[in-house]
Amino acid sequence: MLKVQDLITHYSGSQALFGVDLEIEQGQVVTLLGRNGMGKTTTINTIIGIVPATSGSVSFDGVELVGRPSFKNANLGIGLVPEGRQIFPNLSLRENLVATASNHLKVAEPWTLEGVFSLFPELKERLTSMGNLLSGGEQQMLAIGRALMTNPKLLVLDEATEGLAPLVRKKIWQAIAQIRGQGVSILVVDKNLKDLLRIADRNFIIERGKIVWSGSSQQLRDDKDALHRHLGV
Amino acid sequence: AKEVKVGFVTTLTTGGAVLGKAQKNAVNLAIEHMGGKMGDLDINLIFADDGVKPETGKQATDKLVKQDNVDFVAGYIWSHVLLASRKSVLDAGKFLISANAGPSPIAGKLCHENFFSTSWQNDQTPMAMGEVLNQQGVKSLYIMSPNYAAGKNMVAGVERTFKGKVLGKDFTKWPGQLDFSAELAKAKASGADGLFVFYPGKAGGAFIKQYQQAGMKDVMPLYTVFTVDGISLPKFQAGNLEGVMGSRVTQHWDPTLDNAQNKRFVADYKTKYGNYPAFYAAQAYDSMFLIKSAVEAVGGDLTNMDGMRTAMKSANYESVRGKYTYGNNHMPIQNFYLREVVKDSEGAWTTKIVKTVFENHQDPYAKDCPLK
Amino acid sequence: MEPLLSISGLTKSFGGVNATNDVNLDVSQNEVHAIIGPNGAGKTTLISQLCGTLKPDAGSIAFEGRDITSTPAYKRARLGITRSFQITSLLSAMSVIENVTLAVQARNKHSFRFIRAAHKIAYLRDEAMLALEKVGLADRQDDNTAELSHGEHRQMEIALALATNARLMLLDEPMAGLGPTESEKMIDILRGLKSTHTILLIEHDMDAVFALADRISVLVYGQIIATGTPDEIRSNVAVRHAYLGDE
Amino acid sequence: MNRKQTVTLAVMVALAVMPPLFVWTGNAFYLDLATRLVILAIAAVSLNLLLGYGGMASFGHAAFIGIGAYAVGIPAYHNTYGEFELIASYNGFFQVFLAVAITALFALITGVICLRTKGVYFIMITMAFAQMVFYLFVSLDVYGGDDGLVIDTRSEFPLINLDNPLHLYFLSFASLTAVMLIVRTITRSQFGKVLQGAMGNEERMIALGYNTFAYKLTAYVISGAMCGYAGALLGNFTTFISPEMMGWTRSGELMFMVILGGAGSTIGPIVGSGLFVLVEELFSSYTIYWHLPFGIMLILVVLLFRGGLLGLISGNSKSGGH
Amino acid sequence: MDFTLLFIQTINGLQLGLLLFLVASGLTLVFGILDFVNLAHGSIYMFGAFICASLTFFLGNFLWAVLIALPIVAIIGYLIERTIVQSLYARNHLDHVLGTFGLILVLDTLAHLIWGPAGIAVPLPQWLNGRVEIFEGVVIPTFRLLIIATGSGVALGLLWLVNYTRLGMLIRAGASNRTMVSALGIDIQLLFGLVFALGATLAGLAGMLIAPITEASIGMGGEIIITAFVVIIIGGIGSIKGAFIAAIIVGLIDTLGRSFLDTLFKLVMSIEAAESSAPAISAMLIYILMAAILAFKPQGLFPPKVR
Ligand SMILES: Nc1ncnc2c1ncn2[C@@H]1O[C@H](COP(=O)(O)OP(=O)(O)OP(=O)(O)O)[C@@H](O)[C@H]1O
Ligand SMILES: Nc1ncnc2c1ncn2[C@@H]1O[C@H](COP(=O)(O)OP(=O)(O)OP(=O)(O)O)[C@@H](O)[C@H]1O
Ligand SMILES: [Mg+2]
Ligand SMILES: [Mg+2]
């Protein structure tokens, strides 16, 4: 479904990605692991088109994404929960969810406000609060809800559980499993290795802008050396 | 061939360029009428733009004086530009000829032997209007004018001669205020016999429109100075502002003045540029002939400053306003006329002279000038 | 011993939300006191009131026995209270080292020093480097802050707090955004501060909390529902239900 | 030596040697132009302290220039025409002191109010105060109102004679160099770093313990006073002052000089004011429609070079402001 | 005090306020929402006036001219956005200021080249040129009533658009975070282009409505732009409601100041002093007002909830 080949990205001068290869199948949960500053976010942002790729290819359902504006890529069915939440501060919580909601793929049962609120009941009480006045965790939930409201078939979560209470985190993992059940693929970056490995089908480890390891969760648990060398655990 | 270099500083950019363009046209026409020569000398004319800013005007003047080394600097529509530039010209020992601006200091304590005016001192025109108001039996007056130096001069001028009662005065924000609804409402409420205003340039157009839209024409007759002129009238006509028809203005000159020089000027200006010349143009046209009289009087010897000065002082040239003389401060002593807005034979809006208000009128500041 | 920080009756509400509701809390010298609680419970709001960016509706705050409830934020910082931001707040137009240098420089009484070039003042730079080394950003000292990754920004956030050398550090989720490795390291750093500093730690990372905290307070809906040692809290049924959610 | 320093040196050397050459080759007008340029550059450099290093885009700096110029003109006027004996004087030191003191005081008072605001609000409130000064002088009939005030006698100093254009030029040039050095020193000092920090993220600086308001106010007063000094020079140069000099368009021009050259660098504002003055002179001598190419040039500079012309020269695209 | 006069002046103030609102609304839209400082807003206002003036003479009817001029101005606005503004969003405000100042010079000179320096007086159809007697002694020019109506209509329309439509949400979202809006599937470029064009259209409309009162002239943009900024600053940047209320306040204060300040001053000082200080103070009035409001509310009367 998503196939990234030899992706190279530069930030004004300095190179951040040195040829990333990565693949996601329909309905899979795939993780991208790596220490801080290794290029996880850059990979994600390049896939979507927020950061322009220098070279390489990203094909999504047979469409080449590199070189296209990000809104077109998003409309193919990629939903992003960006690093650092990035909710719209000057929109109310409800507006944040509604403003960019869409159903380009004509999903039969699209996400609704109620759907999001049943996932995060906390949000319901803050319906009219401005985005910037929400607590860090509330913002994070909102960012996930906002991505869901675009009814994606590939959900990309960049540190989507940062700042969430343990209970909520747990709920999110459950939700992910549930969404996957509906045929949605998921690319996830997160620090909670234990939780991730429990739900992931496939894991990629990135180091200095290159994929240095990939394999199933069981393989990774067993590969103590890789865990230690690339992730320091 | 030898040449006489003349710098002409006027406004060529911004909205004020309408006035500058009229002056430039008139100066070019004057040169044409002279056949490009003053005596035996070729005329080398350099126009410079002041952008309605004193600093820009001064810089342009400096360039004319220091870089182009002109013999005469003429022009200057705006008082503040003239005041800022004055020292540059006079300190360099050149002649300075104002073709419009006439602020009081220049007629009084800042007067200078090398300065001449082909226009008027600010107070004179409104003084004539004050006299007109007396003659017409206007007992009470409402006054409106922009809140800047020339505006205050105008008001002071009319108050000098007007004998009735001033019921109210509004000094409006300048520049920038073009909506006069509040002031017009006040004027109307005052119940005065007449309304005196001074709104030069585009403020004049705006004022006249609103005067008409407010329906004041039948209630309170309008008396203006420097508001209705050859530049604004065609615009009023195009905009169908009948309200201005019949309104009264005073001026030292009119296109209908009966002398040969004026007839040629007005006729050729109309043919060449398609409309009646405004007073700005008339004064600019005169300034060239004043210079010509000086150059010819000394036989082209431009180092003979005294000779040229004496010649100019005698005002011995064909002025479009007819004969006039110079006071000790080198401001014209001249007639002022009452003019009325009328349609000409072809239906174009213009003015005609109703009568002479002042004969050989001298400005009130001449006594402050140490020159004899 | 008198507590370093003493909070009593602190109340703040936004419209209908009681973000902190009659909070009473003492933090003693050289203690790591963790505050945990669900999202939106009012933890950040509490910190903002302690450091002076938010004005409480009621209640008082005393630092070293002295009432600072209405002391402006910058003065509190001078007294020795520093904070880190949950949502990273750095000088992104400056280099990494410049950021930290400014934090070191803040230890001075004032910075109305106009003559000497700041980058030539050795101790400022040395101290700044020390802080950067601690968080592992020493090799990025000359980079532009905007060019660092999210996790690196989080590390800088802590470096700044460390560099002020304040006696009381209010740390708002210092582990957030850090990878597993980096988190481990951060726990070590904070542990190292224990002997010299007092820390009020807000954190959702329970491993860190249980590894570091001397005492833990649980904040729910703006109210402290429990305070105790890590073991007491771990076994508190209400806390497990409202927050931890395990089992 | 990096490119920026090379440019700085080249510009300063050119400013030091060219003007006397103009005089010897009989191009006195270009000496005038250079003097104008240098004086405006002083104002631009002082504005840059605020704008480039403090993120305070003052849109009212022309008022400081105007007040500075009137501080020369008014004492001279009274010395010539009497009244107000207390301040009547041609003494240059007195006039400059007056210019600097009054502008500093004005900056202090208005700064306390203006600095409560930020960003565009700051731009507008500084403009508001400048407009008040503008209308104040427009209606001050004693000093000519909008017709302005002619300065018959320039400031008198021992040894130097400001009626001599070269003396005036070199006084201005020396002042520019001094002001540049002052700004450069300040911005690299601890004070300067705090100022730049406050520009970047005020909340963070407060959390670190800085009373950012006091630092910003100090910078505002320093900048205002330097601009007042530039005004005193300008008054001596034009020998004429009018409220027009403090209109918002002039404040805007100053701002453009800084941005055009490159905010937040020592030489930027000088390059900017140089370009502004020279291009204006050059273009306007060709056509009265010179604003058209001038405007296109400004647009192109903004579109193509980040951080003004200096961004082009030094090859980095760091931009100042907010 | 004369209450009829007070009433008339209040209506005059209202009318001036609504006219200011028309200019300011486009500015606050572009500034508050696109976070773009458009100094050239005034020049577009001027273009609106000139285009409409020319069309009035060409078509012989003012209203038709307005209807045709509006889309023309919108297209001009859109083109300006595409060519220049678009690449400046990501820059800081000062770059906007410099770039749009350049644009002012270009547009004003173009206007000078196209229409000459003279300015154009715009004739009104007879039915708009008259006056309406509201009640005994209170007569208002018809056209000014039209301005009041248009200004109020635009205010309501904008409030609805920005606050209650999804388009409005997207516009606001785009203002705070372009990248994210785009990453969530919205063509932000197009959206911004349209908003800019709308802002330009509003500026143009204001120019068209002022032209029959004053005239279309070079430099009219520079005269209005500062006042328009004062209005949106007092109101709080980006707030349509704020701009509306501030415009009315400024209109009223300015008009009433001009009308009654001298009378007021004469109560406490000599006639001489009153006559010379009243105009000075009334010219400063809106600036004093702005400074005073900002001193107490540094982000205007209705600060954006976020920025
Ligand atoms: N300025 C404000 N105006 C209105 N409501 C606010 C404001 N700041 C915070 N809130 C609300 O107050 C509550 C407490 O917020 P706070 O940020 O303190 O939570 P928190 O405990 O830090 O949560 P988290 O763990 O998610 O960061 C939240 O519901 C939030 O929406
Ligand atoms: N805007 C930028 N300009 C220049 N360099 C950047 C920029 N953003 C990131 N980088 C650099 O690119 C590298 C990869 O950054 P990236 O954000 O992709 O890391 P990451 O793996 O997501 O890290 P983290 O876990 O901290 O979020 C880092 O070294 C970072 O410094
Ligand atoms: Mg990342
Ligand atoms: Mg929080």
Side-chain angles (χ1 to χ4, degrees):
Chain A
M1 161 183 209
L2 181 82
K3 192 169 165 71
V4 177
Q5 277 173 306
D6 202 19
L7 199 61
I8 294 179
T9 298
H10 287 83
Y11 287 111
S12 60
S14 67
Q15 187 166 357
L17 298 189
F18 293 80
V20 170
D21 298 285
L22 174 119
E23 216 173 320
I24 303 174
E25 302 289 333
Q26 172 95 38
Q28 269 191 341
V29 174
V30 170
T31 71
L32 186 57
L33 307 170
R35 287 204 288 260
N36 287 134
M38 289 305 167
K40 304 183 290 292
T41 301
T42 308
T43 305
I44 286 173
N45 287 351
T46 314
I47 291 174
I48 297 189
I50 294 175
V51 175
T54 313
S55 66
S57 121
V58 177
S59 90
F60 181 70
D61 275 348
V63 182
E64 177 59 50
L65 301 188
V66 168
R68 285 163 37 113
S70 57
F71 79 92
K72 284 194 181 161
N73 296 341
N75 288 341
L76 290 176
I78 305 180
L80 173 68
V81 179
E83 180 174 79
R85 313 169 185 99
Q86 313 223 18
I87 55 117
F88 303 120
N90 52 344
L91 265 57
S92 71
L93 188 152
R94 186 178 162 279
E95 289 173 333
N96 260 284
L97 290 172
V98 177
T100 52
S102 63
N103 188 3
H104 286 278
L105 304 178
K106 307 271 178 290
V107 177
E109 272 180 60
W111 279 89
T112 58
L113 288 179
E114 283 67 43
V116 174
F117 293 149
S118 68
L119 188 60
F120 303 118
E122 293 87 344
L123 293 187
K124 199 163 180 175
E125 295 159 35
R126 294 275 171 281
L127 206 56
T128 55
S129 292
M130 281 292 159
N132 70 315
L133 301 182
L134 299 171
S135 82
E138 288 163 348
Q139 292 184 12
Q140 194 65 62
M141 298 179 218
L142 180 56
I144 298 173
R146 183 179 63 181
L148 292 176
M149 291 288 283
T150 65
N151 293 295
K153 62 178 167 186
L154 172 64
L155 183 63
V156 181
L157 301 158
D158 194 352
E159 318 232 9
T161 65
E162 178 182 337
L164 289 183
L167 192 63
V168 183
R169 243 177 357 228
K170 198 168 290 173
K171 263 199 320 211
I172 288 178
W173 301 131
Q174 285 164 3
I176 287 176
Q178 181 197 334
I179 298 164
R180 184 216 348 225
Q182 296 159 6
V184 176
S185 319
I186 292 155
L187 173 60
V188 48
V189 170
D190 206 279
K191 66 184 266 191
N192 296 294
L193 211 52
K194 256 195 299 187
D195 297 325
L196 275 188
L197 293 187
R198 219 168 17 230
I199 56 165
D201 299 303
R202 186 123 187 251
N203 307 282
F204 292 86
I205 300 182
I206 187 169
E207 193 161 297
R208 294 185 200 291
K210 251 182 126 58
I211 300 295
V212 290
W213 191 95
S214 73
S216 72
S217 294
Q218 198 49 50
Q219 282 169 321
L220 186 54
R221 284 196 198 97
D222 297 342
D223 193 343
K224 293 281 184 272
D225 178 52
L227 277 174
H228 181 72
R229 203 147 34 95
H230 303 306
L231 303 175
V233 285
Chain B
K2 276 184 66 190
E3 58 176 26
V4 54
K5 267 194 178 184
V6 179
F8 198 93
V9 179
T10 188
T11 306
L12 302 172
T13 55
T14 76
V18 220
L19 313 183
K21 201 169 130 201
Q23 290 205 324
K24 193 175 170 185
N25 287 344
V27 168
N28 284 331
L29 185 66
I31 305 295
E32 206 178 299
H33 283 169
M34 294 170 190
K37 281 196 177 297
M38 292 181 178
D40 294 332
L41 303 186
D42 289 338
I43 303 169
N44 181 349
L45 190 66
I46 305 168
F47 286 103
D49 174 36
D50 64 28
V52 204
K53 287 200 191 106
E55 264 189 285
T56 315
K58 180 189 188 290
Q59 199 182 333
T61 307
D62 277 335
K63 192 171 182 197
L64 288 172
V65 171
K66 294 187 175 171
Q67 199 65 24
D68 302 319
N69 204 13
V70 296
D71 304 297
F72 296 84
V73 185
Y76 301 101
I77 293 176
W78 315 101
S79 300
H80 57 352
V81 178
L82 178 63
L83 284 166
S85 313
R86 175 186 158 275
K87 203 161 147 46
S88 302
V89 184
L90 299 175
D91 283 2
K94 319 261 177 179
F95 286 113
L96 173 64
I97 293 156
S98 170
N100 192 62
S104 48
I106 279 207
K109 57 189 178 192
L110 288 181
C111 69
H112 193 278
E113 56 171 6
N114 288 345
F115 169 84
F116 288 88
S117 162
T118 57
S119 51
W120 24 260
Q121 196 281 318
N122 280 352
D123 292 45
Q124 289 182 289
T125 314
M127 279 168 79
M129 185 49 92
E131 188 54 39
V132 169
L133 293 168
N134 295 335
Q135 290 172 8
Q136 307 219 331
V138 175
K139 292 278 177 300
S140 59
L141 192 63
Y142 199 90
I143 296 178
M144 286 172 61
S145 157
N147 186 31
Y148 75 112
K152 288 176 183 166
N153 279 176
M154 296 298 155
V155 175
V158 77
E159 287 189 309
R160 251 178 225 280
T161 49
F162 176 61
K163 299 210 182 69
K165 206 165 148 32
V166 174
L167 292 184
K169 254 193 284 191
D170 276 316
F171 286 107
T172 58
K173 185 163 139 186
W174 182 269
Q177 186 183 331
L178 294 176
D179 185 339
F180 304 107
S181 52
E183 289 78 8
L184 283 170
K186 262 171 98 178
K188 200 170 181 180
S190 79
D193 290 347
L195 178 59
F196 170 84
V197 307
F198 161 67
Y199 279 110
K202 69 173 170 192
F207 177 82
I208 297 286
K209 298 198 80 164
Q210 292 164 43
Y211 173 78
Q212 172 172 345
Q213 282 164 5
M216 304 242 320
K217 191 181 173 189
D218 314 321
V219 189
M220 200 175 284
L222 183 62
Y223 302 89
T224 68
V225 288
F226 304 113
T227 303
V228 177
D229 59 39
I231 290 171
S232 55
L233 279 174
K235 197 162 65 186
F236 294 160
Q237 183 169 16
N240 205 16
L241 295 175
E242 282 283 353
V244 75
M245 212 24 90
S247 81
R248 301 290 175 99
V249 309
T250 47
Q251 199 103 57
H252 67 293
W253 169 87
D254 186 86
T256 58
L257 273 179
D258 191 14
N259 65 63
Q261 181 81 344
N262 197 38
K263 282 190 165 143
R264 175 165 75 146
F265 167 61
V266 174
D268 289 0
Y269 191 99
K270 266 181 80 180
T271 334
K272 198 161 175 200
Y273 305 112
N275 51 6
Y276 279 102
F279 64 94
Y280 299 101
Q283 296 152 187
Y285 186 83
D286 268 4
S287 69
M288 290 301 120
F289 279 90
L290 177 68
I291 294 172
K292 179 163 178 274
S293 73
V295 174
E296 286 172 351
V298 296
D301 175 12
L302 297 176
T303 57
N304 185 356
M305 293 292 283
D306 292 336
M308 291 195 283
R309 189 179 310 115
T310 316
M312 288 197 278
K313 180 107 202 249
S314 70
N316 194 8
Y317 72 102
E318 302 283 320
S319 165
V320 292
R321 80 198 79 179
K323 188 67 194 156
Y324 72 94
T325 57
Y326 274 116
N328 62 327
N329 56 358
H330 299 180
M331 284 284 168
I333 299 175
Q334 57 192 345
N335 294 351
F336 283 85
Y337 309 99
L338 178 65
R339 308 159 70 191
E340 189 180 46
V341 180
V342 293
K343 290 191 180 114
D344 72 4
S345 52
E346 286 143 33
W349 296 10
T350 179
T351 53
K352 68 160 207 248
I353 290 184
V354 179
K355 66 176 174 193
T356 308
V357 184
F358 285 147
E359 278 187 22
N360 297 333
H361 186 257
Q362 181 168 29
D363 69 90
Y365 298 94
K367 59 183 186 311
D368 300 337
C369 170
L371 289 176
K372 276 196 232 31
Chain C
M1 195 178 72
E2 190 186 333
L4 184 69
L5 179 75
S6 169
I7 305 166
S8 64
L10 207 61
T11 302
K12 175 89 198 169
S13 64
F14 302 108
V17 184
N18 292 326
T20 50
N21 189 358
D22 190 22
V23 169
N24 297 293
L25 188 70
D26 282 348
V27 180
S28 39
Q29 199 89 34
N30 296 356
E31 169 186 42
V32 174
H33 193 122
I35 296 190
I36 60 174
N39 294 118
K43 303 180 293 295
T44 303
T45 307
L46 176 64
I47 285 208
S48 299
Q49 292 173 83
L50 295 180
C51 76
T53 42
L54 267 184
K55 226 175 76 109
D57 296 338
S60 68
I61 307 163
F63 182 65
E64 291 183 313
R66 135 176 197 196
D67 184 63
I68 57 164
T69 317
S70 51
T71 310
Y74 73 92
K75 278 195 184 148
R76 296 192 201 188
R78 293 265 189 73
L79 292 174
I81 302 177
T82 196
R83 80 174 288 186
S84 78
F85 290 84
Q86 179 180 11
I87 296 171
T88 311
S89 176
L90 299 165
L91 307 163
S92 52
M94 291 188 173
S95 72
V96 174
I97 183 88
E98 279 176 310
N99 267 270
V100 189
T101 307
L102 270 172
V104 179
Q105 192 179 312
R107 297 179 196 173
N108 294 333
K109 262 203 161 56
H110 66 85
S111 285
F112 286 97
R113 298 158 205 264
F114 298 90
I115 311 292
R116 247 179 97 196
H119 66 268
K120 291 200 178 129
I121 301 175
Y123 83 89
L124 288 181
R125 203 180 169 83
D126 294 348
E127 291 285 318
M129 280 312 294
L130 223 59
L132 280 177
E133 269 156 28
K134 269 195 189 144
V135 300
L137 284 177
D139 58 330
R140 306 215 54 169
Q141 55 165 308
D142 289 324
D143 287 342
N144 210 326
T145 301
E147 291 167 9
L148 266 54
S149 79
H150 179 66
E152 290 161 336
H153 281 150
R154 299 297 308 152
Q155 290 169 319
M156 270 182 79
E157 188 66 53
I158 305 306
L160 252 64
L162 297 180
T164 59
N165 202 22
R167 275 193 309 276
L168 174 63
M169 299 196 179
L170 312 170
L171 302 182
D172 202 349
E173 301 203 25
M175 308 294 160
L178 298 186
T181 340
E182 288 81 359
S183 292
E184 288 288 326
K185 219 169 96 197
M186 188 59 65
I187 292 175
D188 283 343
I189 296 169
L190 297 183
R191 197 178 281 130
L193 293 174
K194 254 181 152 172
S195 55
T196 45
H197 293 74
T198 309
I199 297 176
L200 189 71
L201 177 72
I202 291 182
E203 196 43 78
H204 289 299
D205 180 339
M206 287 306 116
D207 295 343
V209 170
F210 289 124
L212 286 168
D214 297 311
R215 284 196 302 157
I216 300 176
S217 293
V218 185
L219 196 67
V220 178
Y221 286 122
Q223 280 178 314
I224 292 191
I225 58 164
T227 298
T229 62
D231 286 335
E232 288 166 7
I233 295 297
R234 215 194 304 253
S235 52
N236 184 316
V237 182
V239 175
R240 294 175 86 124
H241 181 72
Y243 181 66
L244 296 174
D246 35 34
E247 277 98 84
Chain D
M1 205 161 70
N2 65 27
R3 271 157 86 181
K4 222 164 173 169
Q5 285 164 326
T6 319
V7 172
T8 310
L9 200 69
V11 169
M12 295 315 278
V13 168
L15 283 179
V17 294
M18 299 265 287
L21 286 181
F22 291 146
V23 178
W24 291 327
T25 54
N27 288 295
F29 171 71
Y30 290 99
L31 177 65
D32 279 2
L33 208 61
T35 312
R36 229 176 100 75
L37 188 162
V38 165
I39 295 173
L40 288 179
I42 297 176
V45 168
S46 63
L47 176 59
N48 185 34
L49 174 65
L50 285 187
L51 196 158
Y53 298 97
M56 293 169 269
S58 164
F59 198 25
H61 255 46
F64 295 110
I65 298 189
I67 294 174
Y70 273 103
V72 171
I74 291 176
Y77 171 86
H78 286 298
N79 216 23
T80 316
Y81 299 105
E83 287 182 58
F84 235 147
E85 301 291 315
L86 196 66
I87 55 162
S89 169
Y90 294 137
N91 185 323
F93 292 114
F94 173 72
Q95 292 173 347
V96 166
F97 166 77
L98 213 58
V100 171
I102 294 178
T103 44
L105 190 68
F106 181 69
L108 185 70
I109 295 168
T110 59
V112 168
I113 302 170
C114 294
L115 286 170
R116 295 170 54 86
T117 66
K118 282 194 193 56
V120 179
Y121 293 97
F122 182 80
I123 297 186
M124 292 303 289
I125 194 169
T126 47
M127 185 216 63
F129 281 111
Q131 287 296 90
M132 290 181 212
V133 178
F134 171 85
Y135 284 114
L136 177 71
F137 277 98
V138 165
S139 45
L140 269 186
D141 291 336
V142 214
Y143 305 120
D146 91 305
D147 266 358
L149 181 65
V150 174
I151 302 179
D152 300 301
T153 314
R154 292 188 162 98
S155 302
E156 286 171 356
F157 288 100
L159 299 179
I160 43 178
N161 171 14
L162 296 189
D163 286 329
N164 178 333
L166 265 184
H167 284 200
L168 179 58
Y169 176 79
F170 277 109
L171 175 65
S172 308
F173 178 69
S175 307
L176 173 63
T177 317
V179 165
M180 261 174 75
L181 286 176
I182 292 173
V183 169
R184 187 184 139 90
T185 309
I186 288 180
T187 52
R188 301 169 133 226
S189 72
Q190 297 186 47
F191 173 85
K193 293 294 164 191
V194 176
L195 192 62
Q196 287 163 68
M199 161 165 92
N201 185 343
E202 190 154 6
E203 187 189 13
R204 169 47 100 175
M205 293 299 283
I206 292 173
L208 285 176
Y210 292 107
N211 180 6
T212 49
F213 183 83
Y215 292 85
K216 282 162 56 171
L217 186 60
T218 308
Y220 191 69
V221 171
I222 295 176
S223 169
M226 290 197 302
C227 222
Y229 177 74
L233 288 176
L234 192 68
N236 272 299
F237 168 66
T238 56
T239 61
F240 176 82
I241 331 148
S242 88
E244 183 79 41
M245 281 179 177
M246 19 189 188
W248 62 270
T249 38
R250 167 47 61 82
S251 295
E253 280 169 18
L254 277 181
M255 216 154 100
F256 302 142
M257 289 174 190
V258 176
I259 312 169
L260 188 63
S265 74
T266 321
I267 194 73
I270 300 174
V271 173
S273 42
L275 194 78
F276 215 86
V277 171
L278 295 180
V279 169
E280 180 175 325
E281 171 57 29
L282 192 76
F283 284 9
S284 63
S285 59
Y286 282 107
T287 163
I288 58 165
Y289 299 112
W290 64 276
H291 287 114
L292 187 67
F294 191 62
I296 292 174
M297 182 196 80
L298 291 184
I299 295 174
L300 287 181
V301 168
V302 176
L303 288 183
L304 301 180
F305 316 133
R306 272 171 183 250
L309 284 176
L310 222 66
L312 172 74
I313 295 165
S314 60
N316 76 9
S317 57
K318 190 180 155 201
S319 50
H322 15 196
Chain E
M1 189 179 274
D2 181 345
F3 283 98
T4 322
L5 185 59
L6 183 65
F7 183 77
I8 295 179
Q9 301 298 39
T10 308
I11 295 201
N12 280 331
L14 208 63
Q15 179 265 138
L16 177 64
L18 283 161
L19 198 64
L20 284 176
F21 170 74
L22 278 177
V23 190
S25 61
L27 195 64
T28 210
L29 201 66
V30 167
F31 187 5
I33 290 183
L34 307 187
D35 197 23
F36 181 79
V37 184
N38 184 15
L39 288 189
H41 192 77
S43 298
I44 298 172
Y45 160 86
M46 173 194 69
F47 258 73
F50 268 114
I51 292 173
C52 175
S54 293
L55 283 173
T56 306
F57 284 105
F58 183 71
L59 301 170
N61 181 310
F62 173 70
L63 287 187
W64 276 113
V66 170
L67 288 183
I68 295 179
L70 283 175
I72 298 182
V73 175
I75 291 170
I76 294 178
Y78 188 75
L79 291 179
I80 291 176
E81 203 269 351
R82 286 291 88 167
T83 47
I84 299 169
V85 174
Q86 191 200 145
S87 36
L88 293 180
Y89 290 131
R91 308 285 194 78
N92 64 45
H93 284 161
L94 296 178
D95 281 356
H96 302 173
V97 167
L98 186 61
T100 52
F101 177 69
L103 195 57
I104 291 184
L105 297 182
V106 171
L107 291 178
D108 281 12
T109 317
L110 281 180
H112 188 171
L113 281 166
I114 299 174
W115 288 285
I120 305 176
V122 180
L124 283 174
Q126 211 50 52
W127 66 275
L128 273 178
N129 213 7
R131 284 163 294 281
V132 180
E133 178 151 19
I134 299 183
F135 54 79
E136 183 66 37
V138 180
V139 182
I140 308 284
T142 320
F143 189 66
R144 303 219 176 213
L145 290 181
L146 181 75
I147 291 180
I148 294 184
T150 315
S152 315
V154 167
L156 289 177
L158 279 180
L159 273 175
W160 171 76
L161 173 76
V162 171
N163 292 322
Y164 301 104
T165 66
R166 209 170 85 125
L167 190 65
M169 289 175 205
L170 285 175
I171 302 173
R172 279 180 287 142
S176 67
N177 194 335
R178 268 170 78 75
T179 319
M180 255 339 277
V181 174
S182 181
L184 287 165
I186 306 296
D187 187 351
I188 191 79
Q189 282 200 0
L190 179 69
L191 189 65
F192 273 32
L194 292 179
V195 172
F196 193 88
L198 175 61
T201 312
L202 289 171
L205 176 63
M208 295 169 206
L209 290 182
I210 193 83
I213 294 186
T214 60
E215 62 180 40
S217 66
I218 311 283
M220 65 189 282
E223 281 149 14
I224 199 78
I225 188 74
I226 290 293
T227 317
F229 266 103
V230 168
V231 165
I232 70 170
I233 290 288
I234 291 181
I237 296 167
S239 164
I240 302 284
K241 182 171 89 179
F244 184 78
I245 292 176
I248 301 282
I249 294 179
V250 168
L252 282 175
I253 294 254
D254 188 59
T255 306
L256 296 178
R258 271 151 50 200
S259 318
F260 300 112
L261 212 54
D262 52 348
T263 324
L264 229 63
F265 279 14
K266 277 174 194 160
L267 298 178
V268 293
M269 53 176 91
S270 74
I271 294 187
E272 284 280 284
E275 269 175 2
S276 67
S277 55
I281 302 288
S282 67
M284 289 183 210
L285 216 52
I286 63 165
Y287 301 108
I288 297 176
L289 178 74
M290 174 166 80
I293 286 178
L294 289 187
F296 294 102
K297 300 206 73 176
Q299 302 208 64
L301 293 177
F302 297 90
K305 299 210 180 85
V306 181
R307 179 144 292 276

